[in-house]
């Protein structure tokens, strides 16, 4: 090989990048070699030292082809190496040191289990061979090399010891490609699990998708069984099987599987000579290796929630060339690595779901512990007020006013508690699970907000009479507690941040007008409604969303910097400098408000950031009636 040839091959190999599937990258790599006159063919193999077998990962197809009618040559794709010259090469010192190995004449090995199929079906004469060891960067040095590349040289190539620097470049490229593909597959598994977790509320709902998508994609043709331990019991049952109905597995078979799973402990393991399903294996023509993978929360160290069991897989390469071939490719270190990553992700999901369940329990506990005393305070004040209205009972207006204030505080505590609970509720739960729409007069609700904030106004030196509500506020079908939280949050924020306005000068105005969506600025619609509104194609938007009410809350307070107009709706964000007003806050209020409005098909935005500061809320005509509760989106139905 001359310098120009070596340089060109090196450039072509360096230009190869990682593709979605490893086969694509390997085909490119082999294609670069095959394009050179000195290379007749090339093939890539994975070494499985636990079972002393080799598995074909890729080959140049034009040089030789398996005859699908001759089953004796199936070992060409998955074969043992302990009785082959390849076995001697794999165990020699040169191979262990990642150095190329050479065979001057493979025709002397025409009866060798590894080379006989190649020699029988080669389209061109094959003689000289280079065996190039490849490392996996996902394994320890003790387990490497984990692959090897065979390069068959042309009959007329005189010098077999071709440029070793080039061979090392090929080996490094192939090694990095194989390792990066494992990482890519792990990332894809992560993204898939994240996606199905966002759509499902329990591990039981996630696992069927995992078993039907991830297992076939990354473990090829396998028989998969999911064993699940019912809550509060040590007994296991079969919940899922991708080859026959789970109910067809007998309980004694389930018990045998469960026993082996428990004995393996809490780590993913590959088992050989697996005997727990002897009958099942014979029926399905499988051998006896398996992967046992426990699903458990790694952080808590608790017992596994269940086990995933995979029985032997079929070689996809062999089946691609011969659809009836039953070629068994036993599990290996790569399968163990991928399954360990998968169940680790599922274990994290278990932890997140448990945390979510604890959060819901906290919300329920708060509802009980916080609401109850506030309810008693309110009811007691109400009873005392009614006593003053009894005939013959003196009615000191001062005492009655104080009782009304106590009642207002209790009402305020109940409203604030509803807001806290709403913040604790599950963000991904369907609106139907979080809200209870009823017929609500927003004008009366706003008047109630003004009344209960009277003590709050006194605390911040604001005149309560200067909070004014227009009678044009509509009657809608919404969750009353949620919308009380919306108005209460916006009004109380205005009161807290009134700035230096005098007692009589500071005002809050709640107004409303009926508008068409087309009249609202297109940029606002695009940013805050989550839809693209095209005035020339109004049919793109549901009719009940095209019109509605815009409720504005306007105040003479300190204003909000223009740069914070979007960020104020983010969780935990507070405008810098507001601490000087000694106003307590968590930065959650406006994010909760935005979510409530969005859940009711509306939108909220900061319409004016200077004095007067004005928030705008669009509430579509859709929520004027209760029919929207039948919408699939409201109920959380998924296709």
């Amino acid at each position: 090989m001359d310098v120009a040839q070596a340089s060109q091959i090196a450039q072509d190999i360096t230009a190869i990048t990682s593709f979605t599937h490893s086969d694509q990258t390997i085909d490119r790599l082999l294609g670069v070699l095959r394009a050179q006159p000195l290379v007749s063919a090339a093939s890539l193999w994975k070494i499985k030292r636990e079972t002393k077998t080799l598995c074909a990962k890729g080959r140049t197809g034009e040089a030789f082809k398996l005859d699908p009618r001759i089953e004796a040559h199936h070992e060409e794709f998955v074969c043992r190496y302990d009785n082959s010259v390849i076995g001697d090469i794999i165990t020699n010192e040169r191979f262990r040191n990642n150095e190329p190995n050479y065979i001057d004449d493979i025709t002397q090995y025409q009866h060798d289990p590894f080379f006989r199929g190649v020699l029988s079906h080669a389209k061109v004469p094959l003689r000289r061979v280079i065996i190039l060891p490849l490392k996996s960067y996902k394994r320890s040095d003790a387990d490497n090399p984990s692959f090897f590349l065979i390069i068959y040289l042309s009959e007329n190539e005189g010098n077999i010891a071709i440029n070793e620097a080039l061979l090392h470049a090929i080996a490094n490229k192939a090694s990095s490609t194989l390792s990066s593909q494992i990482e890519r597959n792990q990332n894809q598994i992560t993204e898939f699990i994240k996606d199905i977790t966002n759509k499902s509320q329990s591990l039981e709902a996630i696992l069927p998708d995992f078993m039907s998508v991830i297992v076939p994609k990354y473990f090829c043709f396998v028989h998969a069984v999911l064993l699940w331990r019912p809550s509060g019991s040590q007994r296991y049952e079969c919940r899922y099987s991708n080859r026959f109905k789970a109910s067809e597995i007998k309980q004694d078979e389930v018990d045998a599987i469960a026993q082996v799973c428990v004995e393996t402990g809490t780590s993913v393991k590959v088992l050989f000579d697996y005997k727990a399903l002897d009958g099942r294996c014979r029926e399905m023509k499988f051998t006896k290796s398996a992967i046992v993978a426990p699903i458990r929360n790694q952080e808590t160290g608790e017992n596994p929630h269940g086990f995933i069991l995979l029985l032997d897989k079929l070689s996809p390469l062999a089946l691609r060339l011969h659809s009836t071939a039953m070629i068994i490719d036993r599990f290996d270190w790569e399968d163990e690595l991928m399954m360990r990553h998968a169940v680790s992700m599922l274990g994290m999901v278990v932890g997140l779901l448990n945390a979510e369940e604890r959060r819901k329990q906290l919300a329920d506990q708060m509802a009980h512990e916080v609401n109850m005393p506030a309810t008693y305070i309110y009811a007691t004040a109400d009873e005392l007020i009614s006593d003053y209205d009894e005939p013959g009972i003196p009615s000191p207006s001062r005492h009655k006013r104080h009782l009304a204030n106590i009642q207002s505080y209790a009402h305020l505590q109940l409203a604030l508690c509803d807001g806290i609970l709403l913040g604790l509720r599950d963000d991904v739960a369907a609106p139907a699970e979080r809200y209870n729409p009823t017929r609500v007069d927003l004008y009366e609700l706003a008047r109630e907000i003004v009344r209960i904030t009277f003590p709050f106004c006194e605390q911040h030196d604001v005149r309560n009479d200067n909070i004014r509500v227009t009678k044009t506020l509509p009657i809608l079908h919404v969750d009353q507690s949620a919308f009380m939280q919306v108005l209460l949050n916006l009004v109380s924020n205005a009161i807290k941040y009134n700035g230096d306005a005098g007692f009589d000068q500071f005002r809050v105005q709640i107004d409303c007008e009926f508008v068409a969506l087309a009249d609202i600025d297109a940029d606002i619609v695009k940013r805050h409604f989550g839809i693209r509104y095209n005035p020339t194609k109004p049919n793109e938007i549901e009719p009940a969303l095209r019109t509605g009410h815009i409720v504005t809350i306007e105040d003479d307070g300190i204003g909000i910097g223009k740069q914070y107009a979007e960020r104020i709706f983010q969780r935990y964000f507070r405008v810098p400098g507001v601490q000087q007003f000694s106003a307590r806050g968590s930065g959650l209020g406006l994010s909760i408000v935005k979510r409530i409005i969005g859940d009711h098909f509306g939108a909220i935005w900061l319409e004016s950031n200077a004095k007067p500061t004005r928030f705008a809320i669009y509430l579509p005509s859709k929520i004027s009636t209760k029919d929207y509760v039948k919408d699939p989106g409201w109920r959380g139905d998924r296709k």
Side-chain angles (χ1 to χ4, degrees):
M1 175 187 292
D2 58 29
V3 176
Q5 286 178 311
S7 176
Q8 183 60 50
I9 293 178
Q11 290 179 21
D12 291 343
I13 290 174
T14 304
I16 298 174
T17 57
S18 183
F19 289 83
T20 303
H21 301 292
S22 59
D23 287 349
Q24 292 178 308
T25 309
I26 297 304
D27 288 346
R28 281 282 302 275
L29 180 64
L30 299 179
V32 169
L33 298 176
R34 184 64 188 90
Q36 303 306 314
L38 74 159
V39 177
S40 292
S43 56
L44 177 70
W45 297 82
K46 180 195 286 187
I47 304 170
K48 303 189 175 191
R49 290 186 172 86
E50 297 87 349
T51 54
K52 298 184 183 304
T53 56
L54 304 172
C55 175
K57 295 286 287 184
R59 64 176 57 210
T60 54
E62 56 274 287
F64 46 87
K65 183 179 179 181
L66 176 72
D67 185 343
R69 295 169 299 178
I70 306 176
E71 295 191 10
H73 294 300
H74 284 172
E75 66 266 21
E76 182 184 336
F77 291 89
V78 179
C79 67
R80 295 186 64 86
Y81 64 72
D82 49 351
N83 295 318
S84 169
V85 66
I86 289 294
D88 297 333
I89 292 174
I90 289 174
T91 56
N92 71 32
E93 194 66 24
R94 186 175 178 84
F95 189 87
R96 281 289 186 180
N97 290 333
N98 300 307
E99 298 297 328
N101 285 250
Y102 305 97
I103 299 178
D104 290 331
D105 185 3
I106 64 168
T107 58
Q108 62 182 308
Y109 301 117
Q110 58 184 327
H111 299 297
D112 185 273
F114 184 82
F115 286 114
R116 65 186 179 192
V118 174
L119 293 170
S120 299
H121 298 287
K123 295 182 179 180
V124 295
L126 301 177
R127 184 176 296 274
R128 295 179 174 88
V129 172
I130 300 175
I131 293 92
L132 190 60
L134 308 177
K135 295 178 64 174
S136 170
Y137 299 122
K138 299 294 182 180
R139 303 204 79 187
S140 67
D141 288 339
D143 298 318
N144 276 310
S146 299
F147 303 88
F148 64 88
L149 185 66
I150 297 185
I151 302 173
Y152 298 91
L153 299 179
S154 299
E155 189 71 25
N156 59 1
E157 177 61 29
N159 181 15
I160 194 169
I162 63 174
N163 191 313
E164 291 209 4
L166 174 61
L167 292 178
H168 283 296
I170 294 172
N172 290 336
K173 186 64 183 183
S175 296
S176 62
T177 297
L178 292 166
S179 300
S180 64
Q181 187 59 39
I182 293 175
E183 187 171 347
R184 182 186 295 273
N185 289 344
Q186 289 176 331
N187 292 338
Q188 290 175 347
I189 289 174
T190 299
E191 291 302 315
F192 179 83
I193 292 177
K194 284 171 59 179
D195 183 58
I196 60 176
T197 301
N198 289 335
K199 297 176 182 178
S200 303
Q201 300 302 306
S202 67
L203 187 63
E204 289 88 342
I206 293 170
L207 285 171
D209 284 339
F210 174 83
M211 299 291 279
S212 61
V213 176
I214 292 296
V215 170
K217 183 174 182 179
Y218 294 101
F219 299 93
C220 304
F221 303 90
V222 304
H223 170 69
V225 175
L226 172 65
L227 290 175
W228 194 258
R229 185 181 63 218
S231 178
S233 170
Q234 292 300 312
R235 188 176 182 85
Y236 286 84
E237 60 186 42
C238 182
R239 290 283 186 88
Y240 179 91
S241 173
N242 68 353
R243 287 302 173 105
F244 41 79
K245 293 180 181 180
S247 59
E248 293 178 3
I249 302 181
K250 299 177 182 178
Q251 189 59 48
D252 59 345
E253 293 176 322
V254 171
D255 293 339
I257 296 172
Q259 182 62 32
V260 173
C261 291
V262 173
E263 288 174 356
T264 62
T266 56
S267 61
V268 177
K269 292 184 179 179
V270 176
L271 305 178
F272 299 103
D273 296 322
Y274 186 70
K275 299 178 181 178
L277 274 181
D278 273 352
R280 236 13 123 170
C281 291
R282 285 195 299 271
E283 174 188 332
M284 295 160 49
K285 301 180 182 179
F286 286 158
T287 54
K288 301 175 183 177
S289 72
I291 291 181
V292 177
I295 302 173
R296 59 189 289 266
N297 187 352
Q298 300 287 342
E299 294 182 359
T300 61
E302 59 192 21
N303 290 330
H305 296 265
F307 290 88
I308 294 175
L309 175 74
L310 305 184
L311 294 177
D312 284 315
K313 62 180 185 175
L314 307 178
S315 167
L317 181 59
L319 289 180
R320 189 157 64 240
L321 297 178
H322 182 195
S323 60
T324 61
M326 292 295 290
I327 311 302
I328 300 303
D329 176 13
R330 290 194 173 192
F331 293 112
D332 57 30
W333 59 268
E334 188 175 341
D335 299 307
E336 182 179 340
L337 186 67
M338 297 301 295
M339 182 54 76
R340 182 179 291 115
H341 177 77
V343 294
S344 174
M345 292 300 302
L346 290 173
M348 291 176 62
V349 170
V350 170
L352 290 173
L353 292 173
N354 288 344
E356 181 61 27
E357 184 62 29
R358 289 193 295 270
R359 188 175 74 154
K360 291 178 180 179
Q361 292 174 359
L362 174 62
D364 292 340
Q365 184 176 355
M366 287 186 65
H368 180 269
E369 301 297 336
V370 180
N371 268 314
M372 183 178 294
T375 302
Y376 288 161
I377 293 170
Y378 186 90
T380 303
D382 187 60
E383 185 176 352
L384 290 173
I385 290 173
S386 65
D387 286 344
Y388 280 108
D389 295 329
E390 290 291 329
I393 301 294
S395 178
S397 58
R398 184 178 179 184
H399 292 176
K400 191 173 182 179
R401 187 173 71 251
H402 287 327
L403 288 171
N405 287 347
I406 292 174
Q407 193 176 45
S408 296
Y409 274 119
H411 203 163
L412 180 62
Q413 182 176 347
L414 289 169
L416 290 173
C417 179
D418 286 338
I420 294 172
L421 295 177
L422 184 63
L424 287 171
R425 289 171 188 162
D426 186 3
D427 282 356
V428 298
E433 298 176 23
R434 289 184 273 145
Y435 304 106
N436 180 30
T438 58
R439 188 175 183 273
V440 176
D441 187 332
L442 289 191
Y443 172 70
E444 294 298 333
L445 185 63
R447 288 285 302 275
E448 175 70 4
I449 293 297
V450 173
R451 190 181 74 81
I452 66 176
T453 56
F454 178 83
F456 196 58
C457 289
E458 287 191 342
Q459 181 183 349
H460 289 274
D461 198 27
V462 169
R463 185 170 179 173
N464 187 254
D465 292 344
N466 283 351
I467 305 176
R468 298 171 183 174
V469 182
T470 179
K471 290 186 177 181
T472 58
L473 263 66
I475 297 175
L476 302 173
H477 279 79
V478 295
D479 185 292
Q480 180 165 332
S481 295
F483 269 72
M484 175 175 280
Q485 176 65 6
V486 168
L487 295 175
L488 181 61
N489 189 285
L490 293 169
V491 172
S492 61
N493 278 353
I495 295 170
K496 283 194 292 186
Y497 306 117
N498 62 81
D500 56 2
F503 177 75
D504 289 323
Q505 285 73 39
F506 179 77
R507 288 175 170 77
V508 179
Q509 178 69 36
I510 302 176
D511 215 331
C512 182
E513 64 175 323
F514 189 79
V515 299
L517 193 62
D519 297 331
I520 302 176
D521 185 271
D523 287 339
I524 292 177
V525 174
K526 183 178 179 180
R527 283 201 313 272
H528 299 285
F529 286 68
I531 57 176
R532 293 180 65 96
Y533 175 67
N534 185 349
T536 64
K537 297 180 180 179
N539 291 331
E540 291 182 357
I541 299 176
E542 183 182 346
L545 297 176
R546 295 180 206 159
T547 60
H549 294 84
I550 284 191
V551 177
T552 57
I553 295 89
E554 183 178 287
D555 67 75
D556 298 319
I558 62 174
I560 299 172
K562 188 176 182 180
Q563 67 272 33
Y564 306 123
E566 302 292 338
R567 295 187 65 191
I568 56 174
F569 295 104
Q570 297 175 2
R571 281 188 173 186
Y572 308 115
F573 177 79
R574 299 189 74 195
V575 175
V578 296
Q579 290 82 357
Q580 63 179 305
F581 297 96
S582 300
R584 299 179 62 186
S586 63
L588 282 172
L590 288 178
S591 68
I592 293 174
V593 167
K594 182 178 181 179
R595 193 178 82 187
I596 294 170
I597 298 300
D599 286 344
H600 287 81
F601 307 98
I604 180 172
W605 64 95
L606 184 63
E607 193 170 70
S608 171
N609 63 296
K611 293 184 180 181
T613 305
R614 183 167 57 252
F615 285 89
I617 302 172
Y618 179 77
L619 301 172
S621 301
K622 185 181 183 76
I623 59 176
S624 297
T625 68
K626 204 174 180 179
D627 292 343
Y628 68 87
V629 300
K630 302 174 184 177
D631 283 10
W634 179 266
R635 299 196 308 265
D637 295 346
R638 297 183 176 92
K639 295 181 180 180

